[in-house]
Every structure is written in C-alpha cells, then in structure tokens.
Amino acid sequence: MQLLWNSMWVLCTVVKWTMAEEECGGLLTRDRGLLHTPGFPRPFQVPLKCRWVIDSSMQPTQPVSIVVYLTQLFVTTGLTFTEYAYYEPDSPNYQLEPKILHTVTEENVAITTRVATNTSFLVVEFNMDRLEGNHLRASDGLLEVYGLNITYIMHLGTGKIPDYSCTAAKCSMLGHCYASLDYSSFWCACFPGFTGPNCKQGPLCRRDMDVCRNGATC
C-alpha cells in the first residue's frame, strides 16, 4: 500500500509539473495567440522560468513578421525577447544568429508597446525569483495583478506593421488593456469610476467645470 501511495504521489507530481510547464512556455506555430503566466492575473509560484518559441517558418505565405503586443504586461523585470535566424529548442548548435531585441525594465515597461522581428523565430524568455517588487503597481489599483498576458501576431507581407495596441500605461494605470477575439483591435477597460479611451476621465472630473489649476488637465 505504501509503495502504491508513493507511486501515485510521484505520478501526481509529474502531471502537475507537466501541466505547469505546458501553461508557461512552448512552441507556437499558429499565426496568432497568447503568452501568459500560470493562472494570470493571479499570483504564480516562484521561481518560475518560461520559454516561448514563436516559429513562423511554416507559414504558407512569406515573408512574415512576428509582432508581440505588450497588452497586459505587469512585470518590470525578467522578460527578454531574442530573434534567431534559425532555432532548434533542444539543439544549441542549431540556434543561429541570436539578437536580443528587447529586455523589459522599470524604465521602459511604461513606454514600449510592442516587439517585432522579420526573422522566422522569436524566443520569449521569462525568469522570476520573487513576486514582491517586480510588478507594476498604482495607488489603489493593480494591487492584485501578477505576471503577463500578451498577444502575438504573424503579420504577412512587407507592409508597415500596425501599431494599434494598448498597455497598462496607455490605460493610465486605471484600467486593463484587452484584445478582440481575432486580435485585430485593442481597448482599455477602465476601473469603476473612470472613463475615456485611456481611462483618464476620473470621478472628480466634470465636463462642465475644470477642477484643475495651473493649466493641468483632469
């Protein structure tokens, strides 16, 4: 009985570990999709290491640009985007011409809205050892949001890559950025009491009276 119990415990542990691994990382070959931390927007277990490989080499129409829109990005560190001319996940000798495109920091998390590459492989790596002090926070808001939930699209052709995304910063830290089901449009869903395209209209702002002074805008 003890042997059976130990075997069941090992099996459950392996299944849970495998499910967690599948939820955070993997090979992505569809023309659009999501990258997210386990259980987003809830807290996740740390340390956490994730690696997503976005592979556009099998798309029937070429050339293809890979674009990642940082829609719901709430981490301020640990996220890196690297392009490759060719990438085999299990063969370091066949991971050719790496170039780091972007690393998320406290300084740029509120500025950068997307990461794009014209190569066929984009590797997104996320590493975090602790939750505290590594997430966007605002007064009375975003206090219970952890991790990331970002969108990627394989953009066909050589035309200009659309730049129509939003981020937590573009939603004034007073709402969440959401994407449509086909990822063709994005908008801010404002917290209660706030309105407007960027959630800048607050509960104390009135259209018939400017409550701000010295040239400020409510």
Side-chain angles (χ1 to χ4, degrees):
M1 178 62 72
Q2 184 64 37
L3 179 60
L4 177 60
W5 173 257
N6 290 340
S7 299
M8 291 177 63
W9 183 86
V10 171
L11 177 60
C12 291
T13 302
V14 171
V15 170
K16 288 183 179 180
W17 182 86
T18 303
M19 290 177 64
E21 183 185 45
E22 291 176 350
E23 191 175 6
C24 190
L27 178 63
L28 306 173
T29 58
R30 298 182 62 180
D31 64 349
R32 60 193 64 198
L34 295 173
L35 291 70
H36 61 86
T37 46
F40 177 87
R42 299 187 302 274
F44 48 86
Q45 291 187 348
V46 289
L48 179 67
K49 292 185 177 182
C50 312
R51 177 184 294 152
W52 296 272
V53 180
I54 306 176
D55 177 3
S56 67
S57 63
M58 300 302 292
Q59 290 295 313
T61 302
Q62 296 290 337
V64 175
S65 299
I66 301 173
V67 188
V68 180
Y69 292 101
L70 309 182
T71 44
Q72 294 184 342
L73 176 63
F74 297 97
V75 298
T76 58
T77 186
L79 187 63
T80 301
F81 299 80
T82 306
E83 67 176 16
Y84 288 82
Y86 185 78
Y87 189 89
E88 286 284 351
D90 300 321
S91 302
N93 292 333
Y94 293 94
Q95 298 174 4
L96 307 180
E97 300 180 28
K99 179 183 178 182
I100 296 178
L101 299 179
H102 182 64
T103 299
V104 172
T105 66
E106 290 185 358
E107 289 72 26
N108 63 35
V109 67
I111 301 173
T112 306
T113 61
R114 66 176 186 175
V115 179
T117 178
N118 293 321
T119 65
S120 296
F121 299 88
L122 180 62
V123 177
V124 184
E125 295 180 286
F126 177 60
N127 298 284
M128 184 161 286
D129 294 325
R130 61 184 177 88
L131 298 179
E132 297 77 12
N134 290 325
H135 285 80
L136 283 176
R137 292 292 180 256
S139 179
D140 299 326
L142 305 181
L143 300 182
E144 301 298 328
V145 181
Y146 294 85
L148 58 94
N149 184 46
I150 55 181
T151 302
Y152 81 87
I153 299 176
M154 296 182 187
H155 179 67
L156 304 180
T158 57
K160 182 180 179 181
I161 297 173
D163 186 13
Y164 45 68
S165 179
C166 56
T167 63
K170 282 197 171 183
C171 296
S172 307
M173 308 289 282
L174 295 170
H176 292 302
C177 174
Y178 289 118
S180 60
L181 290 177
D182 61 355
Y183 312 121
S184 63
S185 61
F186 302 82
W187 69 92
C188 294
C190 304
F191 297 150
F194 295 89
T195 59
N198 301 107
C199 304
K200 290 184 177 180
Q201 190 73 22
L204 298 179
C205 299
R206 295 174 50 182
R207 295 184 181 275
D208 60 341
M209 182 176 65
D210 189 358
V211 298
C212 299
R213 298 181 179 180
N214 301 321
T217 302
C218 184

